[in-house]
């Protein structure tokens, strides 16, 4: 199929099944194309991917919410080519022909995902280098060992909340809470942590009717944070972005904080929930962990292959007419990075039951110049959090039949609804109150691995502590960033003591 999109989004053109036709229940839309949304897609996404692979090969025409057409890239090598070739497949959503023609409304449920923003994930070339450099440079200042210690402390504090009960619901009481606690502390807004922020972060990527409002709630909190850091700098990620030599505007800072907060939170929440589900439902998985044949980090990597936090990402638009996977792609077409289907591509995984230990070729964090720069923070939260939980509750067991577990979400991510578990009641663990260590220090690659380092900068002669670019990527010389006693962890400590 080389010209599959014969209809406009939401129109009735093309062969539409009659109301009583079974095709309606099969997720078939205008033009006979399969929908990536609805009951079938949500109930069995893996089955849908295989149907599309059988019908169209490695690149398939599909319909998103509102029957908006797009291409879903299923093949592993095709996804690598697309994500690594920005000259053909851009991250700038303003190229989307459907947006230019007005056939996709501004209040579309996926608007928070595809609406262009002044952030590195929507930029290319010099602009992308400037913005992403500010993010990766600021991430490089995080005290990785200190963060790991505090992930452990937060995990134990959460376990203390339910350890005497002998039962818990691991999604809402652990997986959804731990990442937001950690990210709010790293970013510099621990006082903003609450259930509303957790709910908004989960809601805005689901394509729900309230996604736009949830996005606005998060932006409001981050705008307030940026204003505070302009007036009162601290040792936190927000301040480092504000003070970075790239001279980001307030809008650029708040939008990048939103991307970091929401993406890190969403991916890590799903990752923790998926790892725990595999531990509780797969006897081989649990046996290898308890027998010392698999470490928690290895379990996390296996989960990133089998149950990636993001199943797919709407995030590429064709720069011009081209060909991919035997399909004729037109300029302005939307393409979806198929993370989950790429991870199960029979070319790279002919046996899905085989262990992928030591293999990081999965696409859980995408690839190319837009590969997730914060993936190792997410890994650390999952590694340390799951390990702390299992150390405290070694007899943790699923308290319902596995068949009772359910998922919700859309083609972007799949959320485990709940994971009820039981264990022998135990006592609370004392959480030490000693002063927290520095969050800002020289980075050590031994602490956690960064897959996408910042692009090296040219330093003008005679200015060894300056960066050679300003907002436009040109030569303004700006003093190096501050360093000094950490304030963020003292704020976190005060927050915890009053929790």
């Amino acid at each position: 199929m080389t010209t599959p999109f014969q209809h406009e989004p939401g129109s009735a053109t093309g062969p539409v099944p009659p109301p009583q036709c079974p095709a309606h229940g099969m997720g078939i839309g205008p033009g006979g194309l399969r929908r990536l949304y609805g009951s079938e897609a949500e109930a069995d996404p893996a089955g849908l991917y295989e149907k599309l692979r059988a019908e169209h090969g490695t690149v398939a025409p599909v319909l998103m919410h509102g029957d908006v057409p797009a291409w879903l890239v299923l093949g592993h090598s095709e996804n690598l080519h697309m994500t690594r070739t920005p000259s053909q497949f851009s991250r700038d959503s303003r190229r989307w022909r459907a947006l230019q023609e007005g056939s996709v409304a501004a209040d579309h449920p996926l608007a928070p995902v595809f609406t262009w923003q002044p952030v590195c994930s929507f930029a290319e070339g010099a602009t992308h280098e400037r913005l992403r450099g500010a993010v990766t440079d600021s991430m490089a200042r995080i005290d990785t060992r200190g963060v790991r210690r505090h992930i452990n402390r937060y995990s134990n504090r959460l376990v203390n909340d339910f350890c005497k009960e002998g039962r818990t619901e691991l999604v809402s009481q652990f997986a959804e809470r731990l990442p937001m606690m950690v990210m709010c502390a790293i970013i510099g807004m621990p006082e903003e942590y609450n259930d509303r922020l957790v709910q908004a972060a989960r809601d805005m990527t689901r394509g729900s009717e309230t996604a736009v409002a949830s996005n606005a709630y998060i932006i409001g909190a981050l705008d307030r944070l940026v204003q505070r850091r302009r007036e009162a700098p601290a040792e936190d990620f927000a301040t480092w972005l504000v003070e970075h030599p790239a001279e980001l505007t307030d809008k650029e800072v708040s939008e990048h904080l939103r991307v970091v907060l929401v993406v890190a939170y969403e991916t890590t929440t799903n990752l923790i929930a998926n790892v725990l589900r595999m531990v509780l439902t797969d006897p081989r998985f649990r046996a290898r962990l308890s027998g010392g044949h698999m470490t928690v980090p290895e379990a996390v990597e296996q989960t990133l292959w089998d149950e990636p936090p993001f199943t797919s990402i709407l995030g590429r638009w064709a720069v011009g007419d081209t060909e991919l996977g035997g399909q004729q792609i037109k300029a302005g077409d939307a393409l979806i990075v198929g993370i989950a289907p790429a991870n199960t591509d029979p070319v790279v995984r002919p046996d899905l039951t085989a262990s992928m230990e030591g293999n990081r070729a999965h696409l859980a964090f995408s690839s190319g110049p837009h590969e997730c720069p914060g993936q190792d923070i997410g890994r650390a939260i999952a590694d340390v959090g799951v390990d702390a939980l299992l150390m405290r509750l070694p007899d943790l067991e699923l308290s319902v039949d596995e068949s009772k577990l359910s998922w919700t979400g859309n083609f972007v991510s799949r959320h485990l609804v709940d994971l009820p578990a039981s264990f022998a009641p135990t006592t609370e663990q004392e959480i030490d109150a000693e002063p927290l260590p520095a969050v800002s220090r020289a980075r050590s690659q031994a602490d956690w691995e960064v897959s996408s380092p910042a692009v090296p900068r040219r330093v003008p002669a005679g200015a060894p502590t300056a960066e050679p670019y300003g907002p436009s990527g040109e030569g303004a010389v700006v003093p190096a960033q501050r360093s000094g006693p950490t304030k963020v962890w003292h704020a976190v400590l005060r927050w915890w003591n009053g929790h």
Side-chain angles (χ1 to χ4, degrees):
M1 179 180 292
T2 57
T3 56
F5 305 133
Q6 304 296 327
H7 71 287
E8 293 295 325
S11 74
T13 59
V16 181
Q20 301 305 315
C21 177
H24 273 291
M26 296 170 59
I28 304 298
L33 302 183
R34 293 191 181 276
R35 292 184 169 110
L36 280 186
Y37 68 98
S39 58
E40 182 194 27
E42 293 176 8
D44 185 19
L48 175 60
Y49 300 147
E50 293 315 303
K51 290 176 183 177
L52 290 168
R53 205 189 304 270
E55 293 167 355
H56 304 285
T58 57
V59 179
V62 294
L63 298 173
M64 299 185 297
H65 292 69
D67 288 340
V68 177
W71 297 97
L72 175 62
V73 184
L74 302 157
H76 190 274
S77 64
E78 287 78 10
N79 272 289
L80 285 179
H81 175 74
M82 176 175 63
T83 55
R84 294 176 178 180
T85 316
S87 59
Q88 287 182 293
F89 305 101
S90 174
R91 279 290 288 133
D92 190 339
S93 62
R94 293 172 295 185
R95 294 179 180 273
W96 195 2
R97 193 171 59 254
L99 280 176
Q100 295 171 355
E101 296 171 351
S103 54
V104 176
D107 60 351
H108 189 278
L110 293 176
V113 176
F114 66 71
T115 301
W116 185 89
Q117 295 126 32
V119 294
C120 59
S121 55
F122 284 95
E124 303 289 2
T127 300
H128 174 258
E129 179 181 333
R130 179 179 74 89
L131 296 174
R132 186 180 173 96
V135 172
T136 53
D137 289 349
S138 298
M139 284 184 175
R141 301 185 66 181
I142 297 172
D143 172 14
T144 55
R145 292 178 181 173
V147 168
R148 281 181 172 272
R149 282 193 291 270
H150 298 305
I151 296 169
N152 186 70
R153 293 186 53 190
Y154 299 166
S155 299
N156 281 308
R157 187 173 291 275
L158 287 173
V159 174
N160 278 354
D161 290 341
F162 55 75
C163 66
K164 293 182 178 180
E165 303 297 323
R167 64 183 184 276
T168 185
E169 198 290 285
L170 289 169
V171 174
S172 63
Q173 292 188 273
F174 191 80
E176 288 187 344
R177 294 181 179 275
L178 178 61
M180 187 60 78
M181 286 179 173
V182 176
M183 292 310 302
C184 281
I186 289 175
I187 285 175
M189 48 183 275
E191 72 283 353
E192 293 279 2
Y193 170 78
N194 57 35
D195 288 343
R196 176 72 179 94
L197 194 65
V198 169
Q199 294 163 2
R202 300 231 76 184
D203 181 54
M204 62 174 288
T205 62
R206 292 183 178 183
S208 68
E209 294 181 356
T210 56
V212 174
S214 293
N215 183 58
Y217 177 84
I218 291 174
I219 283 291
L222 294 173
D223 284 345
R224 293 191 295 273
L225 172 62
V226 174
Q227 184 60 40
R228 288 198 301 273
R229 290 299 174 259
R230 290 287 187 196
E231 298 170 354
E235 287 298 320
D236 54 39
F237 188 79
T239 298
W240 300 333
L241 280 183
V242 166
E243 295 185 338
H244 193 273
E247 296 184 355
L248 274 62
T249 66
D250 285 359
K251 180 67 172 176
E252 288 174 334
V253 173
S254 63
E255 289 290 355
H256 280 89
L257 290 174
R258 181 180 70 96
V259 171
V260 169
L261 177 67
V262 173
V263 173
Y265 169 76
E266 176 73 7
T267 56
T268 310
T269 292
N270 289 341
L271 180 57
I272 292 173
N274 291 340
V275 171
L276 290 174
R277 183 191 67 81
M278 293 183 72
V279 168
L280 297 181
T281 62
D282 189 330
R284 296 170 301 173
F285 207 79
R286 183 66 172 266
R288 292 191 68 204
L289 266 179
S290 59
H293 300 294
M294 173 186 280
T295 64
V296 172
E298 288 168 346
V300 168
E301 289 304 317
Q302 182 68 43
T303 305
L304 288 169
W305 274 103
D306 297 335
E307 294 280 352
F310 279 161
T311 52
S312 58
I313 301 173
L314 171 62
R316 296 298 187 281
W317 288 270
V319 175
D321 293 353
T322 189
E323 184 270 341
L324 183 66
Q327 301 284 16
Q328 300 303 310
I329 312 297
K330 300 296 183 183
D333 279 358
L335 297 98
I336 300 169
V337 180
I339 294 172
N343 282 0
T344 58
D345 186 343
V347 173
V348 296
R349 288 188 74 185
D351 180 6
L352 295 180
T353 64
S355 171
M356 302 303 288
E357 186 174 328
N359 188 333
R360 282 195 174 190
H362 57 73
L363 294 182
F365 299 106
S366 191
S367 183
H370 291 280
E371 183 178 0
C372 176
Q375 58 186 273
D376 297 302
I377 296 177
R379 279 190 175 100
I381 297 173
D383 292 348
V384 178
V386 171
D387 188 56
L389 176 69
L390 296 180
M391 286 288 288
R392 290 283 302 279
L393 309 173
D395 60 342
L396 196 66
E397 293 183 352
L398 190 66
S399 59
V400 299
D401 189 88
E402 183 181 351
S403 63
K404 300 295 184 181
L405 299 179
S406 60
W407 286 260
T408 187
N410 59 23
F411 74 87
V412 176
S413 60
R414 189 167 180 250
H415 315 276
L416 186 62
V417 174
D418 51 31
L419 192 63
S422 59
F423 51 90
T426 185
T427 58
E428 294 183 9
Q429 184 178 92
E430 183 177 353
I431 307 298
D432 66 88
E434 65 185 27
L436 303 177
V439 69
S440 174
R441 66 170 179 80
R443 188 184 184 88
S444 168
Q445 282 296 105
D447 295 333
W448 62 41
E449 181 183 1
V450 173
S451 302
S452 305
V455 177
R457 313 290 187 212
R458 292 181 297 102
V459 180
T465 60
E467 293 285 352
Y469 56 88
S472 63
E474 299 176 352
V477 175
V478 183
Q481 300 179 69
R482 293 181 309 107
S483 63
T486 63
K487 300 176 183 178
V488 60
W489 293 120
H490 294 289
V492 174
L493 179 61
R494 290 194 299 272
W495 172 57
W496 276 123
N497 288 338
H499 184 60

